[in-house]
Amino acid sequence: MERDIKKIVSEMTLEEKAGMCSGEDFWKLKAVERLGIPHVMVSDGPHGLRKQEEAADHLGINESIKAVCFPTACATASSWDVEMLEDMGKTLGEECQAENLSILLGPAVNIKRSPLCGRNFEYFSEDPYLTGKMASAHIKGVQSWDVGTSMKHFAVNNQEYNRMSSSSNLSERALREIYLPGFETAVKEAKPKTLMCSYNKINGTYAAENRYLLTEILREEWGFEGYVMTDWGAVNDRVEGIRAGLDLEMPASGGVNDARIVKAVRDGSLDETLLDKAVENILKVIFSYIDHRHPEAVFDRDADHRKAVEYAADCAVLLKNSGILPLESTKKIVYIGEYAEKPRFQGGGSSHINCSKVTSALESAEEKGRNVTYVKGFPADKDELDEEELQAAVKAARDADIVVIFAGLPDVIESEGYDRANMDLPICQNRTIAEVAKVQPNTVVVLHNGAPVETPWENDVAGILEMYLGGQGVGEACDRLLYGEVNPSGRLAETFPYRVQDNPSYLNFPGDGKNVNYGEDIFVGYRYYEAKKLPVRWAFGHGLSYTSFAYGNLRLSSSNMTDKATVTVSVDVTNTGEVFGKEVVQLYVADKNGTPQRPVKELKGFVKLSLAPGETKTAVMTLRARDLSFYHEELHDWYAPSGTYEILVGHASDDIRMNCELRFDTAKILPFEVTGATTIGELMNDPRTAQAMGEMITKMMQSLGASASGQEEAEGGSSMGFDPEKMQAMLYGMPIKSLASFGGGELDVDMLIRTFTQCLQTVSM
Ligand code: BGC
């Protein structure tokens, strides 16, 4: 049934319309019964249902229904598996239909600017391309069940410290290249039904009243058609919000802001059509849910738990393996660390799930009858060293063939609401790992954390398996990976620097509380480490496997590309080992034209292939002009200079296996206004002015050369020499206003401006 939403809006009173623009309570939208508008409920997300039936809160404090906690975004992003994430989204979508939820809040797609952000576990990556693809997969999956998502937090919310008021100050280029594309890709590819604006300001304006973001970019440029809601309590000036394109205030303002909207319409300061539009946006989404209910949907917690195990196994990243993994279960193995029996698998705050069931690695090992004993060694919830426990762990380690230490970050260290102070694991854990490794070379460390940690003991252990916050199935998944029932196939979605001080945002994080300046600009994550040639512990895209892969036959559908064309990149990958495995083929692009301020390379494609031993498959990825481009602030558009681009494919950002070149030609013309400050170099680099400028230089050089050699002769000595390259370097930086001084009265600046302006207008490229 097609609803006539505009007609419904026209029948609403001004008060009803204003009321529709804020919640009824913490989780529900208002109903207008006389017009058939029902209550609908929204709920956190993103990796499970935090549906609260009684006392409500936005920090995960009060009870919510029993639900299934799937891997958090730091883990799912590491799978680089869009099919897996779409499937997880579908599972969540069905759960929502069964639980009468119209919107599942999430996914959260903010960029990991600093490893210290307390909420990184809920975010996907330091890379916008990977972020956008993972977000799209999640959204498509959930929405396939006619349940909406609310992609959050729009935008530039990359820390918890003063997240509700601090201003994130950044260049338009960094905004467009790093912080928005995750949202942009998902809006265009997956059409989320709603978006949640963030609490913070962007360059001084609250997200909740930022017309540039909420209307110009989101709706006018990207074509977003759903509604925008606030983060809980993010409204500043409600009327300004309506003007900017903010539709729904959550949770509820107790009628105060509704009354402000009514008053503003009555006194003429708010155009009522803007209010009508907001109500229309909200009603469209409400009815798209109401008119597509699925009575067949069930929330089968046991079945979904089993899926949670499979998803978690697809996410884990094998960081190091000197041959110890997979473990031989006939060996005498000891598990150390309380996370072995109480895994940390989710973060604190609004995404906190009341789990239906949790499996631990220890429990799984016992169920499978593995030869494992357990020593607690250190606690899971605090940094407290118990000498006796430590000594018991060391003794057990000495007596065993192999040790697996289950380490991680306690809840108190990593949560929504505050940032971490450093990148350290608790001292008690670092000490235990170091002491155990001294007596037992066959030590494996399993990590349960939502963001990178420093691993000072890396060289002393034989294996490291990063489980991230892998959801309630993490223990069983870990068991399968440790013993080789599943081959690890995750790749890092973020760099692990050696030290937090190496991170590009270090000197500007988290700001002074009022402002945080994004001084590193576009050089976030690997874009920075590569440009600085800074060694890192594990690079972006890194992840090992129990098998090996060979790359061959890299080819492009065409070696030339223009603005509107696309080029496909294909490469054959073979599983050259003994066991089944999955390879994440990564595609990076590098600008080889000497363009200033460009990263060494950027991720622009990836495919996850499943390969039986000996099997070969072809990864096919598509490039568009946008993938070669940077955001040009003067052009206010994407721009890639004509020239050569290198196409790189491989296993990780630091393990490129093959490369080739692509020639690109653009018809885009950069804005160019000639003034006295325009340099000779700028005029030489533009094909329209190069000839005229070149002729002038030759003339000038001839006269300079003549007078220099004349002078030399007179002085009987030699000058610095007439090196054309040096001369060019000096000349190219000279503004044309200065040329007048050297032109012996022949060159007048106004004449030069006129001449070159005319060249720009008449010479064709
Ligand atoms: C969080 C949101 C969450 C909301 C509702 C806020 O504190 O930032 O991500 O969806 O609460 O719980």
Side-chain angles (χ1 to χ4, degrees), residues 737-751:
K737 72 182 175 53
S738 304
L739 261 187
S741 323
F742 302 106
E746 265 180 50
L747 301 172
D748 160 67
V749 70
D750 292 335
M751 180 275 282

Side-chain angles (χ1 to χ4, degrees), residues 12 56 77 155 161 232 237 361 424 431 434 521 560 565 611 620 647 700 704 711 716:
M12 293 171 83
Y161 177 62
W232 268 232
D237 178 332
D424 299 341
R431 172 94 195 278
D521 205 55
N560 292 294
L611 294 161
V620 181
I647 308 304
M700 232 177 63
L704 270 177
Q711 201 178 339

